[in-house]
C-alpha cells in the first residue's frame, strides 16, 4: 500500500487490527500480512480512509506461501 499522507494514522489502524501482522514500512510504502477475507479487507480499507490516511495505491498479493519463500 502506498500512502501519501497521514502515515502515522494508517499505522495505528493497521496495528490495532487483529487480522494484520508483519507491518513493514519502506518510505511511503507499507507492506503487511492480512489474514482475512474480502469483507474484512474492505472494512480495513474503510477504517484506513476514515482515519485520514491518504492511500494512493493498494494491492493484495495472491501468492501462495511456497511462492513467497522463493522470492
Amino acid at each position: 500500500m502506498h500512502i501519501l499522507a497521514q502515515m502515522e494514522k494508517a499505522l495505528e489502524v493497521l496495528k490495532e487490527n487483529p487480522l494484520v501482522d508483519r507491518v513493514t514500512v519502506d518510505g511511503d510504502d507499507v507492506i503487511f500480512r492480512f489474514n482475512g477475507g474480502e469483507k474484512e479487507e474492505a472494512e480495513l480499507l474503510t477504517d484506513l480512509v476514515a482515519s485520514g490516511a491518504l492511500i494512493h495505491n493498494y494491492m493484495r498479493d495472491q501468492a501462495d506461501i511456497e511462492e513467497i519463500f522463493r522470492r
Side-chain angles (χ1 to χ4, degrees), residues 3-49:
I3 300 176
L4 296 177
Q6 301 297 331
M7 174 70 78
E8 301 81 23
K9 292 188 179 196
L11 292 174
E12 285 177 29
V13 171
L14 292 172
K15 291 177 181 178
E16 289 175 1
N17 190 305
L19 299 175
V20 172
D21 64 5
R22 296 187 185 173
V23 178
T24 304
V25 178
D26 182 11
D28 292 334
D29 294 323
V30 179
I31 301 167
F32 58 93
R33 187 169 72 173
F34 183 72
N35 300 304
E38 290 179 352
K39 180 177 183 267
E40 293 87 3
E41 183 177 22
E43 290 169 349
L44 173 62
L45 291 170
T46 299
D47 292 345
L48 285 163
V49 171

Side-chain angles (χ1 to χ4, degrees), residues 33-71:
R33 187 169 72 173
F34 183 72
N35 300 304
E38 290 179 352
K39 180 177 183 267
E40 293 87 3
E41 183 177 22
E43 290 169 349
L44 173 62
L45 291 170
T46 299
D47 292 345
L48 285 163
V49 171
S51 77
L54 187 58
I55 299 170
H56 174 257
N57 186 12
Y58 173 83
M59 182 178 71
R60 186 170 187 173
D61 189 354
Q62 297 293 337
D64 64 18
I65 193 75
E66 202 172 298
E67 184 178 334
I68 291 170
F69 281 113
R70 280 186 269 169
R71 291 182 186 177

